[in-house]
Amino acid sequence: MNINWYPGHMKVAFDNFKKNLKLIDIVVELIDARIPFSSKNPKIDEILENKPSVLLFNKIDLADEYTTKKWKEYYESIGKKVLLVNANQNKGLNNLRQILEDELSEKFKRDEQKLIKDKTIKMMMVGIPNVGKSTLINTLSKRTGAKVGNLPGVTRNIQWIKTPGKIELLDTPGVLWPKFENKEIGLNLAFVGSIDDDILDVENLSYELIKKLNKIDPNILKNRYNIEFDLDTDIAYIMDMIGERRGAILKKGIIDYDKVSRMILREFRLGKLGRISLEKVSDFFG
């Protein structure tokens, strides 16, 4: 199952992102803590040049804590400033202003020499679709002005948003890149909802997710759906068992695979299957 999704508005958004770099002091890139490699847009680092940046792992409540710690250590080892947050519950955000100030210390020194006293930070927020940018902005700005949705690509227009902490946010639409390096990256992005389900075969996608989860820990599905199976059990049969348990059955006892598939994907995305990281550092860097 090969996945690529790059709507025209994403190309426009990325071009605007490059143009607007001169307007801001620092870039904050959000990634999904469940897929810290796949959710990091490789094109962003290519155009940042010397612009300061901070990497925010969002949705840490949905990811395995130990695996997240290892990913944080990896990114810090290659010079990234990392902050772990849960935007929905306002966890980890109290340190954001200080981290931004630390990264901009040279700028503030230059401003002091010029007798500039204003310490407002102009920050650009970037990330892939459905990574939680709008939720984070609403939390920081303490208002409900930024539109929030579970569908990827809700934010389409660039907008400035002020916050009580003297941070001015330049919000940008979620952007992917034109071609994924490998099949796994596309699948991981689809699993967490960063690619529109409407363009996907959700039954195949759920099939692939079940395979992935069973590699991580077969007990994930066993415990959630109260079913039993062996490692060599056919994935379709596992879907049958889940469908029977949850009553996803059509007339004449036929399993409603569309309903089962969407349920498994939804419950994974909501964290109902537990705290699951789909990627380990060793998967990519030995």
Side-chain angles (χ1 to χ4, degrees):
M1 185 177 183
N2 292 315
I3 299 171
N4 275 289
W5 185 55
Y6 194 63
H9 74 268
M10 288 191 183
K11 182 184 186 307
V12 173
F14 203 78
D15 290 343
N16 286 333
F17 165 53
K18 290 188 284 187
K19 291 176 185 176
N20 287 306
L21 274 176
K22 62 181 179 294
L23 302 177
I24 54 98
D25 302 315
I26 193 165
V27 172
V28 172
E29 181 181 4
L30 266 70
I31 61 175
D32 190 311
R34 294 167 294 181
I35 51 169
F37 183 83
S38 294
S39 62
K40 190 173 190 322
N41 191 330
K43 298 296 182 183
I44 290 176
D45 281 344
E46 289 180 13
I47 64 171
L48 278 180
E49 298 179 349
N50 296 321
K51 186 72 67 173
S53 65
V54 175
L55 194 61
L56 260 66
F57 282 53
N58 194 24
K59 306 187 181 183
I60 58 170
D61 57 311
L62 301 178
D64 176 71
E65 190 172 7
Y66 177 78
T67 304
T68 298
K69 176 176 177 289
K70 290 298 179 182
W71 273 109
K72 181 175 184 288
E73 291 173 355
Y74 165 74
Y75 277 118
E76 288 177 338
S77 75
I78 60 171
K80 298 291 184 183
K81 191 69 177 180
V82 177
L83 183 62
L84 306 181
V85 306
N86 174 5
N88 274 324
Q89 298 178 10
N90 197 14
K91 290 184 178 178
L93 293 172
N94 290 339
N95 298 326
L96 179 59
R97 171 74 197 198
Q98 186 59 55
I99 287 174
L100 296 177
E101 286 188 5
D102 291 345
E103 293 303 294
L104 293 171
S105 59
E106 292 301 318
K107 173 194 178 302
F108 288 138
K109 286 179 182 177
R110 292 194 299 270
D111 287 348
E112 286 178 6
Q113 292 171 354
K114 297 174 184 177
L115 302 180
I116 299 174
K117 296 181 179 180
D118 183 12
K119 287 197 172 185
T120 298
I121 295 174
K122 294 187 180 296
M123 177 178 86
M124 182 186 288
M125 189 87 71
V126 298
I128 63 170
N130 206 29
V131 76
K133 287 195 299 95
S134 295
T135 300
L136 177 60
I137 288 170
N138 287 340
T139 300
L140 291 174
S141 63
K142 303 187 186 303
R143 67 181 179 85
T144 57
K147 186 177 181 182
V148 177
N150 291 323
L151 297 177
V154 166
T155 306
R156 290 294 181 93
N157 300 312
I158 290 175
Q159 55 181 325
W160 281 100
I161 300 170
K162 293 185 177 181
T163 79
K166 294 199 76 176
I167 298 173
E168 292 187 2
L169 302 172
L170 182 57
D171 185 23
T172 60
V175 288
L176 293 171
W177 49 107
K179 190 172 182 180
F180 305 135
E181 296 173 9
N182 59 47
K183 169 186 170 182
E184 290 300 315
I185 289 176
L187 283 172
N188 287 338
L189 290 166
F191 291 151
V192 301
S194 290
I195 296 175
D196 192 343
D197 283 343
D198 289 341
I199 71 159
L200 301 171
D201 182 333
V202 292
E203 290 182 25
N204 268 337
L205 184 61
S206 180
Y207 186 98
E208 295 290 341
L209 178 59
I210 290 172
K211 283 203 301 185
K212 182 101 174 181
L213 295 175
N214 283 345
K215 286 181 181 179
I216 296 170
D217 182 0
N219 291 315
I220 292 171
L221 295 171
K222 291 179 181 180
N223 293 338
R224 176 62 183 173
Y225 300 109
N226 192 24
I227 57 177
E228 286 296 332
F229 56 86
D230 299 322
L231 288 176
D232 58 353
T233 299
D234 187 76
I235 302 297
Y237 182 63
I238 294 175
M239 295 180 77
D240 287 345
M241 288 190 287
I242 294 173
E244 290 173 359
R245 283 289 183 188
R246 290 299 181 88
I249 302 174
L250 299 169
K251 292 179 180 179
K252 297 182 180 180
I254 299 172
I255 298 296
D256 187 340
Y257 289 108
D258 181 76
K259 185 174 181 179
V260 171
S261 300
R262 292 181 187 279
M263 177 186 64
I264 293 169
L265 289 166
R266 182 178 65 253
E267 293 198 347
F268 164 71
R269 292 167 182 172
L270 293 174
K272 293 184 180 296
L273 304 184
R275 298 182 64 168
I276 301 168
S277 293
L278 297 179
E279 299 175 335
K280 296 180 180 178
V281 176
S282 58
D283 292 340
F284 301 93
F285 305 106

